[in-house]
Amino acid sequence: MRGPCRGALLVYSMHMVTILDYGAGNLTSVRLAFERLGVTPRLITSADDYVRGRIVFPGVGSAGSGMEGLRARGFDALLRREAAAGTPILGICLGMQLLLGMSAEDGGVEGLGLIAGEVVPFDEAKDPSVKIPHMGWNTVRHIGHPLFVGVPQDAAFYFVHSFFARPQADADVLGRTDYCGENFASVVGHGSLVATQFHPERSGAAGAQVLRNFLNLEGPACS
Amino acid sequence: MLLKRLIVCLDVRNGRVTKGVRFKGNVDVGDPVDMAARYCADGADEMVFYDITASAEHRCCDLDMVARAARALSIPFTVGGGIRDAADMRAALLAGADKVSLNSLAVLHPEVLTVGAKAFGRQCVVLGMDAKRVPASSAIPSGYEIVIRGGREPTGRDAVAWAKEAVDRGAGEICVNAIDTDGVREGYELTLTRLISDAVRVPVIASGGAGKPEHLTAVLREGHADAALVASMVHTMGYTCAGIKAALAADGIPVR
């Protein structure tokens, strides 16, 4: 959709943040992390309540119930539409995994497919010494995407997960992390979509910087 | 690389932080949320708030404090003490806690681990276990017995067997507190920590006995712990989280 530049700037003002609440875990810590940055996000439980602005797509839990929750609230269509429109969207943890195609969780779950690729479990056999889920602070090697402005290489972030994303295109991988014999995609992105496997809302100063950078990502180009 | 975690524990009694020695005698050391925010800024990787009077007073942990902590902290935190059932777990998590620690309740009603893991995910369910060294026997082959109610009541249960059962039931992490070394500041119980850590495939937090950074290095290396919990070292002994982590890094332990 084309609109006047002035409108576009207003639409993607850094203060308009909508968090999708689709029943996948507790969103308190995500909301509070934005509040610490001086932004008061709106939580919505239906696509009908979305007005405009940046979208945060968090989530903890399993892929199967996550997708059900998204569909029941019309968020699957909303995410497709806004991704196509170039709205900045931040996926976190399960939210990131649901952006991909097939997930091996729950016997196979079709994700949103907004980023080509699949979601697979860590293979304990690859490193019998590690513990699953991957829980704790781990380092991220990023490619210098605007989401990581001011974040040093190998800064640590807080992870809790047992499955990981395997995007088809290297260009969709914005950062990688080592665990259980994998150098997995811990940050992915495609167009205005960005997503982290880690929890920026629980990752101290480095996580706060990622959230701040998300608020500064540009929306659709004016034309 | 997955880093080793430094966790700071705050024992909260009537809304204030206290530090006890072997569960006896407590000294007031400050406001829990103010202290937690300071430790967060100083480099703590995680916080634990333990409401040590909630159980005896038959109430849930202080939810106002949990909500204040959630607002102030940008790192994960666990609350324990006073959790009576899944409804209390839900209340603590909704107030903003990342994890809930279950100790005596899990021993007395182990099904709560399963209920909690199913409802909230096992990453939210921390098993806190207090273990005491005893002569090895057929009932307690590891030589470490689980004790409950603040260390006052032996259970006749083997610590390693209980750790395995708790993980099977849904615990996503285990905090191993050694009664014999707690508050003594002469080092963690390395053998107990290693036995538990090697027996389960969930992260293990070592607790009880830290007095200097070398103790953390030892338990993270020889004790095979994933995280080390400290209290009096940073509350009253003058150590900083940053200082402890610098010492750990100098010892070759990967830390944030």
Side-chain angles (χ1 to χ4, degrees):
Chain A
M1 204 198 321
R2 289 183 170 219
C5 248
R6 205 178 42 196
L9 286 171
L10 183 68
V11 168
Y12 295 102
S13 121
M14 64 181 286
H15 290 284
M16 296 189 68
V17 174
T18 299
I19 300 178
L20 305 187
D21 181 356
Y22 57 106
N26 180 7
L27 308 181
T28 308
S29 58
V30 176
R31 175 174 60 78
L32 293 175
F34 280 104
E35 289 184 5
R36 282 193 293 275
L37 298 177
V39 172
T40 305
R42 281 184 78 216
L43 265 70
I44 63 170
T45 54
S46 162
D48 297 338
D49 298 330
Y50 175 72
V51 184
R52 50 174 53 162
R54 295 163 200 284
I55 296 176
V56 178
F57 175 33
V60 171
S62 75
S65 56
M67 276 309 292
E68 275 175 36
L70 279 185
R71 286 198 200 94
R73 292 161 179 79
F75 287 155
D76 53 335
L78 173 76
L79 285 164
R80 282 181 217 287
R81 188 186 76 212
E82 294 304 318
T87 300
I89 298 172
L90 172 65
I92 299 173
C93 195
L94 178 64
M96 161 176 168
Q97 295 181 1
L98 295 178
L99 293 174
L100 282 96
M102 202 64 182
S103 168
E105 200 173 4
D106 296 330
V109 173
E110 188 65 42
L112 292 164
L114 292 169
I115 293 176
E118 57 178 358
V119 176
V120 295
F122 285 114
D123 179 2
E124 297 188 8
K126 281 196 172 183
D127 184 351
S129 72
V130 307
K131 306 195 171 181
I132 311 285
H134 173 216
M135 176 152 77
W137 297 80
N138 203 332
T139 53
V140 172
R141 181 137 290 240
H142 64 79
I143 64 161
H145 186 275
L147 192 63
F148 280 80
V149 169
V151 178
Q153 286 296 357
D154 301 317
F157 294 88
Y158 191 76
F159 289 81
V160 184
H161 63 122
S162 306
F163 288 73
F164 64 95
R166 201 184 264 159
Q168 257 167 34
D170 267 353
D172 290 343
V173 179
L174 308 183
R176 290 188 179 275
T177 295
D178 289 317
Y179 196 68
C180 194
E182 304 283 351
N183 179 233
F184 73 94
S186 50
V187 190
V188 300
H190 189 94
S192 64
L193 277 175
V194 289
T196 63
Q197 179 60 68
F198 57 78
H199 290 272
E201 75 278 12
R202 276 289 173 253
S203 294
Q209 183 62 34
V210 165
L211 294 179
R212 201 175 286 120
N213 290 338
F214 171 68
L215 296 176
N216 287 320
L217 290 185
E218 288 173 16
C222 289
S223 55
Chain B
M1 182 197 301
L2 187 65
L3 307 176
K4 299 288 187 180
R5 284 174 281 158
L6 173 65
I7 301 179
V8 176
C9 181
L10 299 163
D11 281 349
V12 182
R13 172 187 288 262
N14 301 325
R16 302 289 294 176
V17 175
T18 66
K19 179 57 193 158
V21 176
R22 293 200 200 196
F23 294 99
K24 295 164 196 162
N26 288 278
V27 283
D28 184 317
V29 286
D31 172 73
V33 177
D34 288 351
M35 291 178 72
R38 207 175 74 222
Y39 293 129
C40 178
D42 184 32
D45 295 313
E46 208 165 315
M47 300 295 312
V48 177
F49 296 92
Y50 209 80
D51 192 326
I52 56 175
T53 45
S55 278
E57 293 167 7
H58 305 289
R59 58 171 173 82
C60 185
C61 54
D62 181 348
L63 294 175
D64 287 341
M65 182 206 70
V66 176
R68 278 208 302 139
R71 204 165 289 282
L73 300 182
S74 60
I75 57 173
F77 70 95
T78 301
V79 297
I83 304 292
R84 294 160 297 186
D85 52 25
D88 281 355
M89 289 181 71
R90 178 181 298 277
L93 295 169
L94 284 179
D98 296 278
K99 310 176 192 180
V100 169
S101 176
L102 305 172
N103 193 321
S104 302
L105 177 70
V107 174
L108 300 170
H109 302 284
E111 66 280 0
V112 74
L113 295 168
T114 315
V115 172
K118 281 211 172 113
F120 316 114
R122 63 188 306 144
Q123 79 285 346
C124 298
V125 183
V126 182
L127 174 76
M129 61 154 66
D130 292 326
K132 193 173 174 49
R133 192 164 34 215
V134 294
S137 63
S138 57
I140 305 177
S142 72
Y144 292 94
E145 181 181 9
I146 295 296
V147 294
I148 57 171
R149 301 193 205 278
R152 292 186 298 273
E153 191 177 320
T155 64
R157 304 193 63 160
D158 183 86
V160 174
W162 171 229
K164 287 182 179 170
E165 181 189 333
V167 169
D168 286 345
R169 285 179 179 271
E173 191 167 32
I174 298 182
C175 181
V176 180
N177 187 49
I179 292 292
D180 302 297
T181 57
D182 186 46
V184 182
R185 303 173 181 176
E186 288 170 0
Y188 295 92
E189 237 287 9
L190 300 183
T191 307
L192 168 68
T193 310
R194 189 175 59 243
L195 282 172
I196 303 291
S197 193
D198 291 353
V200 297
R201 285 198 76 165
V202 299
V204 166
I205 303 162
S207 164
K212 51 185 180 177
E214 295 92 299
H215 295 152
L216 283 85
T217 297
V219 84
L220 293 169
R221 191 169 278 148
E222 296 146 49
H224 299 179
D226 299 280
L229 184 143
V230 297
S232 54
M233 268 182 81
V234 292
H235 301 330
T236 57
M237 294 172 68
Y239 285 99
T240 63
C241 295
I244 293 170
K245 287 179 126 183
L248 292 174
D251 283 346
I253 302 286
V255 290
R256 181 168 68 108

